[in-house]
Amino acid sequence: MAERRNAGGAGQGGFRQAQAWLHTWCGLWFSWLLFAVFFTGTLAVFEEPISHWMTPEHHAQEQAQAAACASGQRGGDLGQRLAWGLAYMEKHHPGAEMWELWPSDAEGAGDLRVYWFDEKRQYASAELDSATGQPLDKDQSHGAVRATKGGHHFVDFHYRLHAGQAGLWVVGIAGMAMLVALLSGVITHRRIFKDFFTFRARKGQRSWLDAHNAVAVLTLPFQIMIAYTGIAISASTLMPAGIAVYFGTGSQGLRDYVVALNESDRPAPSGRSMAVPQLEPFVQRAQALMGQPVRAVVVDNPGDAAARIGVYGWNSEEEMQQRLNPTTGMVMFSAATAEVLRLRQPGEVDGGDASMAKSVIGSLHQVEFGGQALKWLYFLCGLAGSAMMASGAILFMVKRRGKHLGRQAGEFGSATARVYRLVEGLNVAAIAGLGLACIGYLWANRLVPVGLSHRASWELAVFFGLWSLALLHALVRAPAAAWREQLGLLAALCLLLPLLNWITVGDSLPAQIARGDWESAGVELSAMAMGLLAAWAWRYLRRRSARSQSPVSAGKMEVGA
Amino acid sequence: MTPFFLRFVGSSVLSRLLAAVLGGYLLASALAVFLATVLSEPRAEAVLAGMLWSFPVYLLAVIWAFSPVSSGRVWLGLLLPSVVLAGASAWLAGGA
Amino acid sequence: MNVLQASWLAFALSFAGMAALAFAMERHHEQLTAAMEISAARALLLRAVGAGLLAAAVMPCVQAWGWSVGVVAWLGWLSAGALLVVALISIAARGAAAAACILAAAAAIMAAVWSA
């Protein structure tokens, strides 16, 4: 009996058959989590436009700043900004082991910020008025009127589910499961070349299989790359054995490893004191050497004779159009002798081949290159990957819906019907429900009162709350009804987003396009496109359920209740 | 519920799963340490390279664990190379 | 050649190339011509043309994005073209073939114009 159960089971049958078993179960159990991670990751490509749309009060401020810049009111010039930053650090943090100044944006205007490590070795910062050099209160600093996590919510959820280290591990494990599902899927797909362009519509289970294969195979290089790079970015956390053996465990070991990787030539403090020299000459020389405007100045061991001054550059959009590796230029000077200790050209790395690989891996995952076109290509492939996961989960149930679960024992013995019911519910909640959560998050941004304390947390609460409600709804309602109702609501919320924006903020899609605000317009147009997709699916399901209730088709075995 | 539990979580599937997940991770870690030991770059670079290579190895280990071999073979096939790599790393690092 | 022009060219070449490769297969050739088989010569020709078009798509990518980013972009455009080919062939095989021919011709002309 055990042998019959395991026929076509784990490690049973031929190699392809065994891999098919692995693909089905590894795929299914991770499909819901992976869809959420993948879809929010896809949205995260457009983190900035989403944040822009979610902070409408900021637009006027941005335009005022741009106008001020253009009319010459740019605050202090570079030398002044550097001097003010230095004076502030000398006055307030004379004993710190590191001072970091961000004097301006790439055009020499914008904010003036300083950073250091606090007692807990965390980054601390202060902003100085770029016109006077005086420190700005946290309140005075231009935090958004509408406090929000903006698009960063999708980023944070994507890589750690808003759950810190534990979330990172969960996503990492899911990423590994995705690689397993991809490779086992390719192995199982016998006619992968013959079926390359095959999609047979309106054929029920076969259509779902064709769709699942098409979106996966046609974007396979992307899927493999994105899964591997996603895992590799967190390699230090997920695979700590080498660090533990050679640098020690815990945060100290990790810190020693990072220092060895990036700063192996960092000199120890000499004990002799020496005031930090004026920074502007160093910055001017560095800008010439690396060919980029200054982004940050880092002073190691300030106040000591062994101090170093590192000047980092800004990448321009033009150069990132053509360069894969996003590392900026960097010039390291000895503060005492002003000699160049190290020169890193833009695109080079401080370490060797492994460091270069790691840097490119991070860049490939976060599409930090290639401009808008590459972002849209990643978005397309991200949607394809999401569709791959969704169609796989749906296909699992489509295959099993028609089966008579009565006399013969199913895959899960006597619990089979209940497990299938759970899977159906999870499918709705994970796919349509997550969509509701995402668009609901944007609705919350417009509806949660602006002055409310912990406003950003309230927006998150709507995201998770809507998702939880969707899960409840999906477990209570019959699957077909749940799909229709959630897709219908999803379509409505997506299509009505521009109307919501107009009612709450007074900004309309035509107005956005007229003033060239393509970030906001892009968010609303994309939401509407998703809405159209959801609406089409809703209509299709409605017509099909109406058909299945007709006397003629009642006798047929319909796919879906 | 109990007969279902016993049938599904039969010694074969659970054992194979544990071997794949835990044994595979062990093998990947052992490889990461081995590469960190033998690669000639500065140590931190070698550690990084070891980590980057370990993930594809983990993938292959899991794939192999679910091929038509007995779960006992899977355990052996993943633990033995792990021990060998770990031992080799210790010996090479100790001798250096 | 700017990014928009390169994007359009890369997509057009990818679509046309993927369509050619698709119609070199029996089952999709049948969708087009209702002929049960495809002659070996025609299949070879379509495959060669398809592969050539896909390879040609590298050029606008490298022009606009340089070599390293260009290869990544090229792979992205290949996927985009393939996805649209699959969708279109399943709805209207003849339309897909016609679109492929038009896009290939347009791409050739525009490439000449934009590179001059």
Side-chain angles (χ1 to χ4, degrees), chain A residues 314-542:
Chain A
W314 284 111
N315 286 324
S316 69
E317 270 186 45
E318 292 76 40
E319 58 186 302
M320 283 324 293
Q321 186 87 338
Q322 305 228 346
R323 197 174 81 227
L324 211 48
N325 197 11
T327 52
T328 65
M330 186 271 289
V331 187
M332 188 72 79
F333 299 96
S334 157
T337 67
E339 66 170 311
V340 174
L341 298 173
R342 200 167 8 131
L343 169 60
R344 183 182 82 193
Q345 292 294 344
E348 290 177 1
V349 289
D350 293 332
D353 290 340
S355 291
M356 176 62 94
K358 179 77 161 37
S359 188
V360 171
I361 280 171
S363 182
L364 277 174
H365 192 84
Q366 298 169 88
V367 68
E368 301 183 72
F369 53 87
Q372 282 301 309
L374 266 297
K375 285 196 155 72
W376 280 103
L377 283 173
Y378 266 62
F379 189 72
L380 178 70
C381 290
L383 290 178
S386 308
M388 163 181 80
M389 294 158 181
S391 59
I394 292 171
L395 175 64
F396 178 89
M397 278 322 302
V398 166
K399 268 185 169 179
R400 288 157 177 78
R401 255 178 221 151
K403 298 214 166 117
H404 294 286
L405 305 169
R407 288 157 288 134
Q408 68 206 128
E411 286 176 299
F412 296 95
S414 54
T416 302
R418 272 171 288 160
V419 174
Y420 285 178
R421 178 66 187 89
L422 180 66
V423 172
E424 291 265 28
L426 287 173
N427 282 357
V428 182
I431 300 166
L434 178 73
L436 280 172
C438 290
I439 195 69
Y441 177 70
L442 295 186
W443 275 69
N445 175 260
R446 288 300 191 255
L447 294 177
V448 172
V450 169
L452 196 62
S453 68
H454 303 297
R455 195 185 172 283
S457 303
W458 277 108
E459 288 180 352
L460 268 191
V462 169
F463 176 84
F464 286 110
L466 263 179
W467 205 6
S468 309
L469 281 176
L471 177 60
L472 235 86
H473 175 261
L475 293 174
V476 162
R477 299 283 286 155
W483 273 114
R484 277 197 314 271
E485 288 156 15
Q486 291 198 20
L487 284 172
L489 182 60
L490 178 62
L493 291 178
C494 286
L495 289 169
L496 291 174
L497 188 71
L499 186 63
L500 170 75
N501 192 30
W502 186 55
I503 292 176
T504 54
V505 169
D507 194 15
S508 70
L509 196 52
Q512 291 163 355
I513 297 177
R515 67 170 186 266
D517 184 356
W518 283 105
E519 288 192 317
S520 298
V523 168
E524 296 194 356
L525 287 170
S526 301
M528 287 191 2
M530 305 270 184
L532 285 175
L533 202 64
W536 177 83
W538 169 76
R539 256 185 32 135
Y540 175 78
L541 287 175
R542 242 181 28 138

Side-chain angles (χ1 to χ4, degrees), chain A residues 74 104-110 287 292-295 313-317:
Chain A
R74 300 151 64 93
S104 66
D105 60 23
E107 282 81 45
Q287 291 186 143
Q292 289 185 322
V294 61
R295 171 170 56 98
W314 284 111
N315 286 324
S316 69
E317 270 186 45

Side-chain angles (χ1 to χ4, degrees), chain B:
Chain B
M1 201 65 180
T2 322
F4 146 65
F5 181 80
L6 285 177
R7 271 194 308 240
F8 181 74
V9 181
S11 60
S12 182
V13 177
L14 182 61
S15 173
R16 190 181 295 270
L17 183 64
L18 284 175
V21 173
L22 299 178
Y25 187 76
L26 214 62
L27 177 59
S29 297
L31 178 77
V33 174
F34 180 71
L35 288 175
T37 311
V38 301
L39 289 176
S40 58
E41 307 156 86
R43 184 66 82 196
E45 287 281 314
V47 165
L48 177 56
M51 292 193 287
L52 296 178
W53 279 108
S54 70
F55 298 116
V57 166
Y58 194 179
L59 169 63
L60 293 175
V62 174
I63 293 287
W64 177 74
F66 284 91
S67 59
V69 282
S70 73
S71 53
R73 267 276 290 281
V74 174
W75 276 112
L76 198 65
L78 294 177
L79 287 182
L80 197 59
S82 305
V83 169
V84 168
L85 285 172
S89 308
W91 183 62
L92 288 166

Side-chain angles (χ1 to χ4, degrees), chain A residues 89-169:
Chain A
M89 296 307 284
E90 275 171 347
K91 180 167 170 204
H92 291 96
H93 303 281
E97 67 178 88
M98 186 274 301
W99 294 345
E100 189 170 322
L101 283 67
W102 287 57
S104 66
D105 60 23
E107 282 81 45
D111 298 346
L112 167 58
R113 290 181 188 272
V114 292
Y115 299 86
W116 64 96
F117 286 127
D118 64 17
E119 324 79 49
K120 285 175 283 176
R121 285 203 114 254
Q122 302 284 343
Y123 254 112
S125 68
E127 188 182 348
L128 309 181
D129 190 328
S130 61
T132 65
Q134 294 307 306
L136 293 170
D137 292 333
K138 287 270 182 213
D139 301 332
Q140 268 184 292
S141 67
H142 31 98
V145 169
R146 187 180 295 253
T148 177
K149 285 199 184 332
H152 196 75
H153 149 63
F154 294 116
V155 176
D156 201 303
F157 180 86
H158 163 73
Y159 83 93
R160 57 183 181 177
L161 310 173
H162 285 293
Q165 279 290 76
L168 195 78
W169 268 99

